[in-house]
């Protein structure tokens, strides 16, 4: 159920603003049919979340189509014109480089980048927000960027680091496939961070796009000999704090128009 300012949303009128098979419409249907009450202060706040979720899905699909390759942190690579590679394999925004320009370069010069799945998820979040925010706001919010995993993510995005049991799983959520019997010589395949693309499909860097069975099948190839436990998707998800980001976004728009 969707609640806007303490009132139940008239769902049919609202969802008809979106086409069939749109990510936004799929998300609306999940929220509406849920036993959980999803409360928003305004319709704008809900629409902002839908827009960001769609852009997360779009960014994930574009990354899948890019030339950025999979590698361990030990062998990760980046475009040194924009990023400094840390000793542990992360990418740190160089001083004097505009954040939005550096994030865009990952798409423009994707062949110069290689990393693990966790870093790919972080990149997707930044690319999605850059598509939603004005460049000015994006650069104000993220003057320092460290691309690696949840331990280095910006405070505004820290909720993406916490997998929690949810009543519903939505397009744009981060999910995780665990591989408990991973071969110790291939620790990078102990699990796969993925973006939920909606309609039972996921993107995981290094595996690509597919349903849960495909992700599990790929991970199972990296188990120890005579492994008895299959990889599986964890019954939890992580997601951005869309309401906090929406408040920042609309405050920026308001101040820009004055």
């Amino acid at each position: 159920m969707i609640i806007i300012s303490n009132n139940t949303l008239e769902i049919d009128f609202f969802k008809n603003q979106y086409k069939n098979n749109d990510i936004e419409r799929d998300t609306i249907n999940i929220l509406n049919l849920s036993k959980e009450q999803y409360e928003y202060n305004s319709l704008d706040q809900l629409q902002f979340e839908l827009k960001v979720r769609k852009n997360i899905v779009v960014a994930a699909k574009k990354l899948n189509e890019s030339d950025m390759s999979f590698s361990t942190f030990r062998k990760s690579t980046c475009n040194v014109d924009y990023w400094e590679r840390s000793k542990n394999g992360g990418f740190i925004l160089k001083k004097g480089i505009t954040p939005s320009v550096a994030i865009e370069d990952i798409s423009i010069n994707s062949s110069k980048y290689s990393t693990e799945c966790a870093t790919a998820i972080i990149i997707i979040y930044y690319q999605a927000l850059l598509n939603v925010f004005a460049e000015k706001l994006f650069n104000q919010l993220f003057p320092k960027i460290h691309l690696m995993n949840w331990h280095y993510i910006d405070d505004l995005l820290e909720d993406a680091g916490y997998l929690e049991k949810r009543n519903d799983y939505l397009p744009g959520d981060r999910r995780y496939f665990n591989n408990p019997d991973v071969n110790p010589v291939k620790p990078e395949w102990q699990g796969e961070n993925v973006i939920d693309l909606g309609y039972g499909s996921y993107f995981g860097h290094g595996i690509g796009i597919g349903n849960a069975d495909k992700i599990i099948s790929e991970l199972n190839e990296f188990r120890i000999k005579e492994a008895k436990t299959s990889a599986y998707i964890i019954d939890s998800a992580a997601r951005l704090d869309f309401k906090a980001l929406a408040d920042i976004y609309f405050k920026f728009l308001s101040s820009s128009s004055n």
Side-chain angles (χ1 to χ4, degrees):
M1 182 182 297
I2 303 174
I3 307 296
I4 307 291
S5 299
N6 298 319
N7 296 307
T8 303
L9 179 66
E10 294 183 12
I11 194 68
D12 289 336
F13 173 78
F14 178 63
K15 75 176 183 181
N16 285 335
Q17 299 178 35
Y18 302 98
K19 297 179 182 178
N20 287 331
N21 300 322
D22 278 355
I23 291 301
E24 296 98 327
R25 188 160 179 154
D26 182 33
T27 305
I28 292 166
N29 285 331
I30 296 171
L31 296 177
N32 182 56
L33 294 173
S34 176
K35 295 179 180 179
E36 181 177 343
Q37 288 191 355
Y38 289 91
E39 299 184 7
Y40 298 88
N41 296 329
S42 67
L43 190 60
D44 284 344
Q45 198 176 62
L46 170 59
Q47 290 174 316
F48 174 86
E49 177 175 334
L50 296 174
K51 187 174 183 179
V52 176
R53 285 187 177 279
K54 178 179 180 178
N55 275 276
I56 291 172
V57 171
V58 169
K61 290 180 177 179
K62 286 185 176 179
L63 188 60
N64 178 61
E65 296 169 357
S66 77
D67 293 322
M68 188 174 84
S69 56
F70 180 88
S71 72
T72 62
F73 286 125
R74 184 169 57 87
K75 296 181 179 180
S76 67
T77 59
C78 59
N79 188 346
V80 295
D81 291 338
Y82 299 94
W83 305 91
E84 293 180 5
R85 184 183 178 281
S86 65
K87 291 181 179 179
N88 56 4
F91 310 146
I92 302 171
L93 183 68
K94 280 190 168 183
K95 292 182 179 179
I97 298 297
T98 304
S100 60
V101 172
I103 291 297
E104 288 175 340
D105 182 72
I106 300 174
S107 296
I108 296 169
N109 292 301
S110 58
S111 62
K112 295 185 177 182
Y113 295 83
S114 64
T115 187
E116 289 196 7
C117 60
T119 307
I121 299 295
I122 304 301
I123 289 170
I124 287 168
Y125 285 139
Y126 280 117
Q127 289 178 332
L129 290 173
L130 179 56
N131 286 335
V132 173
F133 291 156
E135 286 189 8
K136 181 179 179 181
L137 176 58
F138 182 89
N139 294 329
Q140 287 178 356
L141 293 177
F142 308 113
K144 298 179 181 180
I145 298 177
H146 190 157
L147 302 174
M148 187 171 178
N149 57 28
W150 334 116
H151 301 294
Y152 300 93
I153 197 169
D154 190 277
D155 289 347
L156 285 174
L157 311 181
E158 65 178 357
D159 287 68
Y162 300 102
L163 289 163
E164 298 178 10
K165 169 70 176 160
R166 310 282 181 173
N167 289 325
D168 309 286
Y169 298 111
L170 304 165
D173 281 354
R174 175 173 76 88
R175 304 292 303 277
Y176 187 75
F177 287 80
N178 190 32
N179 192 15
D181 277 353
V182 66
N183 188 327
V185 301
K186 291 286 185 178
E188 63 270 25
W189 296 109
Q190 64 186 322
E192 181 78 356
N193 289 282
V194 301
I195 291 294
D196 187 328
L197 304 179
Y199 304 102
S201 184
Y202 305 91
F203 165 72
H205 182 55
I207 292 180
I209 291 176
N211 59 21
D213 288 342
K214 175 186 175 179
I215 307 293
I216 290 169
S217 178
E218 292 281 349
L219 288 174
N220 282 344
E221 293 296 318
F222 298 97
R223 291 180 297 169
I224 56 175
K225 291 183 178 181
E226 300 181 359
K228 297 180 179 179
T229 304
S230 171
Y232 61 93
I233 189 169
I234 290 179
D235 190 18
S236 59
R239 55 187 59 150
L240 300 177
D241 187 342
F242 296 104
K243 292 179 182 178
L245 292 170
D247 290 345
I248 293 170
Y249 175 71
F250 290 117
K251 183 178 180 180
F252 172 80
L253 292 183
S254 177
S255 63
S256 298
S257 63
N258 294 332

